[in-house]
Amino acid sequence: MSDVILKTEGLTKYYGGLHALDNANFELRSGEHVAIMGDNGAGKSTFVRQITGVEQRTRGKIIFNGQEVHFKGPLEAREAGIETVFQNLALADDLDVPSNLFLGREKIWLNLGPFSILDFKGMKAATEAALKRTAVKIPNLANTIRNMSGGQRQCVAIARTATFASKLIIMDEPTAALGVQETAQVENIIRTLKSNGEPVILISHNMRQVFDLVDRIVVFRRGRIVANLKKSQTTGEEVVAYITGAKTAPEFSDAA
Amino acid sequence: MTDVAAANDMFTARKRKSLPAEMNAFLGLVVLILIFEALGWSLMGQSFLFNKLRLSIMITQVAVVGILAVGVTQVIISGGIDLSGGSIIGATSMIAMSFAQSSVFPRAIYIEQGWVDLPIVIPIAIGLGVALICGIINGVLVAYVKLPSFIATLGMMVTARGVALWYTEGKPISFPTDGFKAIGEGLMPVWIFITVAVLFWLILRYTLYGKHTYAIGSNEAAARMSGINVERHLFLVYVIAALLAGLAALVLTARSQTAQAMFGTTNELDAIAMAVIGGVSLAGGRGSILGTAIGMLIFGVIFSGFIFLSVDAYYQNMVKGAIIVGAVALDQWRQKRQAMEI
């Protein structure tokens, strides 16, 4: 199908004898928000690391935007249009918001090689536009990240991905370390992305959040995909049953 | 959506103002000057500051280390340290001076080869070449071999001093050409310092180089993940630091009209101290050339203030030490207080 953004076929990753990810077949359509759930060590993060090129897969196919891809590193994945919000944020604490948003891809006013002069006005304007698009409110863009709350930091990280991701955003537990109100702020950004039609893969442990935000839930257990559920046709109890292993979907019965 | 609105309100409430780190250093400088001014009028019956000769001696005295400190500052901002500057000054001075000698001196080192009365570009190029080699070695060791910068530059500190001593077996080299002397004459060292300081203040503030220096010092992993070529950048940072040490050496040699193997000894520590007093964080990511320049002036004021009051030079070092520790303690206290406001 043409509107499939990302598809994996038999994606497998072994760490020595450990089968961290086994034969994962996954599909994401344009505009779709999919949650990946599962216990610790179920293979969620391993799965993401293969897609984003952080690690090299043992075998299997990744088809992104209609083409089979072999990213050598996260940079290549990013250039292809996949942006990831990592658990450890990846922000430079001593820089302000626009500098962080454009870190590594600064707008240049005058090209002088490594001593190129930066286009501060352009970056500030683009930052304001990006924050507006993601409905993030940060009062003072010139403030350094160090002086911001955890929620504001996460918002900057997400705004950064949303600014540059042309095709796919992956979020690895974006609200794990946040308070109630800050979580609400981040969830609001994800809703905004949904209404803009931007596809998202969300890794989360938060059942309420998952049912609030996504269209589909994929459950991992012991390195395998054990369920692929439409949100409208499932319940929290059922998802928990899949996560814990009390239940396995018939089409994945070989994975149990 | 009310919870979201509440969250946004909470964010706006967090707006806060912050005082630049250079401010403390500047206030310290003003206080020091006022102290010496008061002591001057009460003990010596004259002004400390409003004396043209004293001012020019004071500034030229620290300008050489100031040039070195500009290079060290950008290394510290990138999250590293450079201990090799003083020794690079020693090695560069000796080698450059040996190509800057006048034929007036019959025992000039290369008089037999006829390498005397050379145009000044030759000793300058050779001097900067020596510094460049030192910088390339530092850069490779830190950026690519991934040695801690403290170790790599400590190695260079010992090695370059060895080169300086080996070159003439410890004998000084003198009698430069008039052309070479001009580099250090009058206020020339000050103008060179100001040019270098303004240039690097602009570079660190407005260019890609500066932005990436702060980013790497702030969070190297994040910088790498953002696609910055961290290795190539750090390499450049150490090469530039060494080149500035080489420039400082040329100015010092020309001003002294002699080169000695022990030139620059402990200058690297003075340079680091100037940066730290000026608010440059040893943790990386924070600080500016402006701060380092203020730190340099503090050193200058202490130096000439003690001479002015004819106080023994030994006390000078005691006071310098106390100021270094005091400045860092003050900075940490300030940061803690800021952190609590958040």
Side-chain angles (χ1 to χ4, degrees), chain A residues 120-173:
Chain A
F120 287 98
K121 260 190 185 167
M123 290 196 281
K124 187 162 180 275
T127 302
E128 278 164 358
L131 295 182
K132 204 170 179 186
R133 191 155 69 94
T134 45
V136 174
K137 278 185 190 158
I138 288 175
N140 183 4
L141 293 184
N143 214 343
T144 57
I145 299 293
R146 182 181 300 285
N147 294 327
M148 292 184 181
S149 68
Q152 281 176 312
R153 286 163 189 242
Q154 193 62 274
C155 290
V156 171
I158 294 174
R160 176 166 70 177
T161 61
T163 309
F164 295 100
S166 37
K167 294 168 189 117
L168 170 63
I169 298 172
I170 300 175
M171 300 191 193
D172 194 350
E173 308 217 27

Side-chain angles (χ1 to χ4, degrees), chain B residues 82-88 91 134 138 150-166 261-262 268:
Chain B
D82 188 351
L83 298 174
S84 64
S87 296
I88 292 175
C134 297
N138 278 344
F150 185 91
I151 301 299
T153 59
L154 181 68
M156 180 55 70
M157 173 183 165
V158 177
T159 311
R161 185 65 65 197
V163 169
L165 286 160
W166 156 84
M262 297 313 281
E268 66 281 340

